[in-house]
Structures are given as C-alpha cells and as structure tokens.
Amino acid sequence: MPNIFNYFDKIKKGYKKNYREIKAFKDRVYPQFIFDENLITIKDDIPVFTLHSVNSEKFENQLRYLNANGYKTINSSELYEYLIGNIPITERTIVLTFDDGWKNLYTVAFPLLKKYKFKAICFLVANLITEDENKTQENFENTNDSQNLLFPDSKIMCNWNEIREMEQSGVIDFQSHSMNHYLISTSSRVENFLYPNYDSYAMNFDIPLYREKGSDNYTRNLLLGTPIYENNSRFSEFKRFFDDETSRIFCINFVMENGGINFFKKFNWKKILLKQFQDYVKKNGNIGFYESENDQRESIFNEMYNSKIVIEKKLNKKVEHFCYPWWVGSELAMEISKEVGYLTNFWGIIQNKRSNSKGSDPFKIVRILSDDLIYRLPGIERKSIVKILIDRYLFEIKTKV
C-alpha cells in the first residue's frame, strides 16, 4: 500500500531505533576498544553485547572470532560477583545477552553456543512465554520470505520446556526482562495513528499499551485509526498518560466509515484523521489523565516483581538480575528494582559510563547495542568500523531481497 507518509514513518522509526548507537559513536561513550585501532587489550573491562534473534551463519562467524582470539564468556551471577570485587576474571572476558526469548535462541543460538563452549544470558518477557505451545503472530505482512530464511523462528517465543532445557544445560542463564515489555503513552500529543503494517515487530512491541473498558490490553492488538500518542518505556521517568477512550473510538469509527483499510490509500489520510481528532477534542474536551505517583510505582513494581516470581517458579532458580526493555530505565526504576530484590540492572548506553569494570555500579551495567561490534574486540582479523558498517549494510540488503 504505497504512501509517502508511511515511508517517512519508516525512516523516523529507523532513526528512533538507531539513534542511541549513533549518539554513542558521536559522544564516544562506547568502550575504548571500539574507537582505538591500536588497542591490543580490553584489560579489566567487560563488554556486554546485545542480541535478539540471530542468523546462524553470522552468529557462528562471531563465535569463531571470539574462540580464535581467546575470549571467555560469563553469566549474570559471575558478572555481579566480579563487579563487587568477589572474584577475578581473565583478561578477555565478555558477556553475550539475548533479549526477549525468541525461539531461535533455542533452535539456532543454543546449539552454536554449546559447540563453541560459550555461555549467554537471556532476559525473558515472562508473560509472553507459554508452557508447551509457542505464542506466535500471524499478521506480519512486512515480513518477507528472505527474512524468514535468514532469521528462522524469529517471530515465535521459546516455550518453558525449551527454556528449562537451556537453563539446566548451564549454557544460558535466564533472568528478567519485565512481565509484559510495554510502552506507555507519556503525553496527550498525538504522534501518529495505527495504520496497516504500522508495527511489523513481533508481539506488537512498538505499539503502546492501551486500556479498554478499564483493563489493559497486553496483546496490543488495536483497531485501525487508534491514535498513537507520544510514548516511552514503562521504566522511563515519565508518568503514564491514559487517553480519552471516546476520542479513540471516534477515530476508529471514522476510519471504518470512510473505507476501512482503503482509507489509508489516500495521500493525505493522516492530515484528514488528525483534523477529525482535533475537531472532536475541541468540541468535547480532552478528558485523558495521568497516573498518580503511587500508581506509577505500583505498575513498575508489578512488572519487575511478577516476572521475577514467574521465572523463579518455572525454572526453580533465583532470579536476581533485571534488563530494561528498549535499554531505558530511570532512578525510580532502579530504586524499585532494589526493593524487589534484584542485584543488577542491565541498560543500554549510559552517559559518562563507557564500560563495566571492578567497582562499577551493578545497577548501571552498560551494554553495546550492536553484536556487529564483536569484531572490534582486539584480535586476529579484527575489522575496522568502516568494514563493519559496510558488512551490516550488505546484510540488511540481503534481508530485503
């Protein structure tokens, strides 16, 4: 469904997804080994790499590089014990982290990690994991065949039986990535409206959580025309804005009455719908509201606590490490995580903190956002940043063929 505004949205989303890494390069807040061509050691720093779904060929090449250059991996407890000074580490020690719990962790990453004798940590979204059957999404119109071939099982979650097998092997250490992994609306400013293929990401992660008839819709399966407000992570500093459900229904009905899916073929559909929304609010008022400070604290607490309890019960282990969805946390979230009983918090980039070393704050563990930067670790056949960017571009083209 060609529409120039939809293309602009994709560009904006691409920037939103990558701006943190762009900023990390610009502000030089990544570890020194990323920038220094002549560096031959990472000393006592422990780089923590972020992965989600993996391509088997690409991931095996990364593991080969780590293996050939003598790198070791550790789990969450070992990292914590090192940071607080209880255990030493060997010089070339890194951490591999997987977010969410996609099925190709089991079908692709797990066998390769075993083959090369590496460990990893996976942060689970507890409420999206089922006991025997895999939760999947059927409506990924933007996902083409080449992506399915390159990233098999990347739209399906592992089930608890598979997770138990990986946990018991000692290869993958499972910790918490929250109960539901959701965005919240943070203001009354409308950024967009839900249009066909708005979110091609599995489990509708990029669609904010909405309340319907007094209950949160954690599936985030919304109707076309739903206003998308300015949003951020549940664990950010912002209070949640609850929209006026009547104005939401008005927009949905307007789309249905004006062609449904065909409405979005109009060149200026967004301008038309925004004008309708603004006129409705002007006439009827905006009766949206913000959550209270107590409600904000309770919501964050429940996301952290419930996920911890579920994973502990399912895997019969202690869960003491928490990773922020979208790499976004806050002082409030850190405070609550301590109340819940976590020993560490994993972020993305934190200003003025480049890496993780002995004595650094375990509640501010920084992560490298791109697994491509594994090849910047000192070693034989180390790649330049230019080479890494070229390889990334060529790989992304392959996924779109």
Side-chain angles (χ1 to χ4, degrees):
M1 186 178 297
N3 187 301
I4 191 168
F5 291 112
N6 295 2
Y7 291 139
F8 285 148
D9 280 342
K10 288 181 181 179
I11 292 170
K12 284 173 64 178
K13 285 182 181 179
Y15 175 76
K16 188 175 180 180
K17 177 182 176 183
N18 296 308
Y19 88 93
R20 292 184 182 91
E21 186 168 53
I22 295 168
K23 186 172 174 57
F25 278 104
K26 176 179 175 292
D27 297 343
R28 298 182 73 85
V29 292
Y30 265 161
Q32 184 63 23
F33 76 85
I34 301 291
F35 305 101
D36 191 339
E37 295 289 342
N38 300 313
L39 200 68
I40 60 172
T41 178
I42 56 174
K43 297 183 180 178
D44 61 349
D45 284 344
I46 301 186
V48 179
F49 292 92
T50 305
L51 301 100
H52 288 84
S53 290
V54 293
N55 168 268
S56 57
E57 180 182 358
K58 180 180 176 182
F59 188 54
E60 182 160 22
N61 286 338
Q62 291 170 335
L63 296 185
R64 282 198 194 104
Y65 181 83
L66 294 173
N67 185 60
N69 288 292
Y71 285 91
K72 307 296 181 186
T73 53
I74 57 176
N75 62 27
S76 57
S77 296
E78 292 166 326
L79 175 59
Y80 170 70
E81 292 296 329
Y82 168 69
L83 294 178
I84 65 173
N86 283 353
I87 63 170
I89 59 162
T90 57
E91 181 183 313
R92 294 192 169 193
T93 299
I94 67 164
V95 177
L96 299 174
T97 64
F98 289 81
D99 286 3
D100 308 328
W102 302 108
K103 189 176 174 67
N104 84 8
L105 176 72
Y106 179 72
T107 58
V108 178
F110 180 46
L112 290 172
L113 289 165
K114 286 194 293 185
K115 177 179 177 179
Y116 289 93
K117 297 181 171 57
F118 284 119
K119 298 177 183 179
I121 307 167
C122 177
F123 298 105
L124 291 174
V125 184
N127 203 33
L128 297 183
I129 310 298
T130 57
E131 189 59 48
D132 298 307
E133 299 299 323
N134 295 299
K135 277 192 176 182
T136 185
Q137 295 279 331
E138 302 297 338
N139 57 338
F140 292 103
E141 299 174 36
N142 286 343
T143 302
N144 59 39
D145 291 339
S146 64
Q147 286 177 308
N148 290 328
L149 290 171
L150 287 167
F151 294 93
D153 300 323
S154 61
K155 304 295 183 183
I156 309 168
M157 289 290 181
C158 294
N159 62 51
W160 285 115
N161 287 329
E162 294 161 343
I163 290 167
R164 288 188 194 99
E165 179 185 341
M166 291 185 278
E167 172 69 34
Q168 290 165 8
S169 73
V171 173
I172 302 180
D173 166 29
F174 289 91
Q175 299 293 330
S176 174
H177 200 35
S178 81
M179 192 66 177
N180 293 288
H181 195 299
Y182 64 86
L183 295 166
I184 57 169
S185 300
T186 57
S187 82
S188 60
R189 185 171 74 84
V190 173
E191 289 190 331
N192 213 325
F193 297 89
L194 191 72
Y195 57 79
N197 303 329
Y198 173 86
D199 182 14
S200 61
Y201 202 79
M203 301 298 172
N204 299 325
F205 277 169
D206 285 343
I207 297 176
L209 183 66
Y210 283 79
R211 184 163 290 182
E212 297 176 349
K213 298 180 180 178
S215 298
D216 286 328
N217 176 5
Y218 289 108
T219 68
R220 288 155 282 196
N221 287 325
L222 304 178
L223 296 174
L224 294 176
T226 297
I228 304 294
Y229 295 85
E230 186 176 23
N231 55 76
N232 211 315
S233 168
R234 167 70 281 183
F235 302 96
S236 67
E237 64 189 285
F238 301 102
K239 287 186 173 65
R240 180 178 175 184
F241 174 75
F242 291 91
D243 73 322
D244 171 23
E245 195 166 345
T246 62
S247 60
R248 187 197 321 161
I249 293 170
F250 169 81
C251 292
I252 291 167
N253 287 339
F254 180 83
V255 168
M256 291 176 62
E257 293 164 4
N258 287 271
I261 195 169
N262 291 322
F263 171 76
F264 299 95
K265 293 179 180 179
K266 297 179 181 180
F267 176 80
N268 60 339
W269 71 261
K270 188 179 295 183
K271 184 177 179 181
I272 294 170
L273 191 51
L274 182 59
K275 178 67 164 56
Q276 290 292 322
F277 171 82
Q278 290 170 338
D279 288 348
Y280 181 89
V281 169
K282 186 176 180 180
K283 180 180 178 181
N284 297 280
N286 186 341
I287 57 174
F289 64 96
Y290 288 90
E291 68 186 345
S292 68
E293 185 174 330
N294 285 340
D295 287 343
Q296 180 187 22
R297 293 184 66 92
E298 182 180 359
S299 177
I300 293 173
F301 182 93
N302 288 340
E303 279 291 309
M304 290 182 162
Y305 177 78
N306 291 340
S307 63
K308 173 180 166 69
I309 295 303
V310 167
I311 299 169
E312 287 182 342
K313 183 178 180 180
K314 292 291 187 180
L315 301 184
N316 192 28
K317 63 173 284 186
K318 270 194 170 183
V319 172
E320 299 177 310
H321 309 278
F322 184 83
C323 177
Y324 290 113
W326 294 283
W327 306 289
V328 177
S330 62
E331 292 294 326
L332 176 61
M334 280 196 299
E335 175 189 328
I336 293 172
S337 75
K338 295 173 185 179
E339 295 172 10
V340 171
Y342 290 109
L343 300 176
T344 67
N345 285 177
F346 287 71
W347 298 59
I349 295 157
I350 299 176
Q351 287 299 317
N352 303 318
K353 185 173 183 186
R354 299 182 67 178
S355 191
N356 311 291
S357 56
K358 182 178 177 180
S360 63
D361 188 347
F363 286 90
K364 291 186 176 180
I365 294 173
V366 292
R367 296 197 294 166
I368 295 167
L369 308 188
S370 171
D371 58 304
D372 295 327
L373 294 175
I374 284 172
Y375 292 111
R376 288 300 294 154
L377 289 164
I380 299 169
E381 297 187 2
R382 185 187 190 199
K383 294 183 181 180
S384 68
I385 290 178
V386 171
K387 172 64 173 167
I388 288 171
L389 292 176
I390 291 172
D391 288 348
R392 180 189 297 182
Y393 175 72
L394 293 175
F395 186 79
E396 287 178 354
I397 286 184
K398 187 191 297 187
T399 67
K400 293 176 173 60
V401 172

